[in-house]
Amino acid sequence: MKTLSHLFEQNRNWADGRRQADATFFKKLTRQQAPEYLWIGCSDSRVPANEIVGLPPGELFVHRNVANLVIQSDINCLSTIQYAVEALKVTHIIVCGHYDCGGIQAAMETCSHGLVDNWLGHVRDIARRRRTELDSIPDESRRLERLCEMNIEEQVLNVGRTTPVQAAWARGQPLMVHGWVYHLTNGLLMDLSMSIASDEELRALEDS
Ligand code: CO
């Protein structure tokens, strides 16, 4: 007996719909992908990257992990960035976090969550470094929202520090890194207005 048969049925319906809208849809995608954007987002099922920016297959290169982290020793994320920048030549890298992120919440709890606590240690490091500002926010839910924003800010810097992005900027390849946050409550994206397009802008942001 085939398991999860409803998903295969939905898949057939989806593929049929695509073909009806454009008979050459899959044929074109087989030949090439030429996305302009790399999306680095949270694994959260409520933040489906392509869907919330209204982009079809082929137009968004995607990397997702718990709490949208960019860690310099994470070969998975770094390889994705390298391929996106050097092979696909994306012109924009979007780090998109979201409010009500379970990873950010778990990072701030004192109880144990097992293995994932090692990964979320990166978020706890940010909270420790920026504790003065966080402690000045009396409302707990706003404090968690601010930590979501801080985490995105730090990950934009981390993207800028990766070797593929540094190399791209050094050779003059156009590449901009953005920090966005997604509201689960209304489905809207907000630009955190911290985009960087060069090493100079990265350094200026680091000093700010
Ligand atoms: Co999340």
Side-chain angles (χ1 to χ4, degrees):
M1 193 185 98
K2 204 179 199 177
T3 55
L4 302 177
S5 56
H6 62 297
L7 295 184
F8 286 92
E9 192 183 327
Q10 284 164 211
N11 166 248
R12 279 191 301 275
N13 291 341
W14 173 80
D16 286 346
R18 284 287 176 184
R19 267 192 300 269
Q20 274 162 23
D22 177 1
T24 62
F25 182 76
F26 291 108
K27 204 170 182 179
K28 279 188 293 196
L29 281 181
T30 313
R31 279 201 296 270
Q32 62 159 356
Q33 62 165 338
E36 284 175 52
Y37 320 100
L38 165 60
W39 174 281
I40 300 175
C42 185
S43 299
D44 195 307
S45 65
R46 299 165 296 178
V47 193
N50 283 71
E51 208 170 321
I52 63 181
V53 286
L55 287 177
E59 297 193 16
L60 193 66
F61 202 61
V62 173
H63 177 84
R64 290 167 69 179
N65 61 42
V66 172
N68 42 271
L69 298 175
V70 177
I71 308 304
Q72 304 297 340
S73 57
D74 177 5
I75 199 77
N76 182 355
C77 182
L78 293 184
S79 301
T80 306
I81 293 174
Q82 183 188 15
Y83 188 74
V85 170
E86 295 180 6
L88 300 174
K89 300 210 166 26
V90 299
T91 45
H92 299 273
I93 299 177
I94 298 153
V95 178
C96 185
H98 66 104
Y99 294 136
D100 302 302
C101 179
I104 301 288
Q105 279 165 22
M108 295 316 290
E109 291 166 0
T110 47
C111 59
S112 167
H113 307 88
L115 174 75
V116 75
D117 281 333
N118 296 280
W119 181 248
L120 296 176
H122 298 292
V123 178
R124 279 192 296 278
D125 288 343
I126 296 167
R128 253 193 305 276
R129 277 204 307 276
R130 303 179 67 171
R131 183 156 48 188
T132 311
E133 184 190 336
L134 285 173
D135 285 351
S136 72
I137 304 169
D139 181 62
E140 193 191 337
S141 64
R142 179 55 205 148
R143 203 180 315 132
L144 278 173
E145 284 186 354
R146 183 66 190 118
L147 183 56
C148 288
E149 295 166 7
M150 286 174 172
N151 180 49
I152 296 160
E153 291 165 10
E154 297 287 339
Q155 304 320 317
V156 167
L157 296 176
N158 283 344
V159 170
R161 293 172 188 135
T162 61
T163 41
V165 171
Q166 283 284 313
W169 283 339
R171 63 179 173 262
Q173 182 179 331
L175 181 60
M176 194 173 252
V177 186
H178 311 268
W180 294 359
V181 66
Y182 176 74
H183 294 69
L184 288 181
T185 49
N186 60 13
L188 295 178
L189 287 165
M190 184 173 77
D191 190 335
L192 293 179
S193 301
M194 51 173 307
S195 303
I196 48 175
S198 66
D199 191 47
E200 293 70 39
E201 290 178 7
L202 167 68
R203 283 162 200 279
L205 194 60
E206 283 175 330
D207 295 339
S208 67

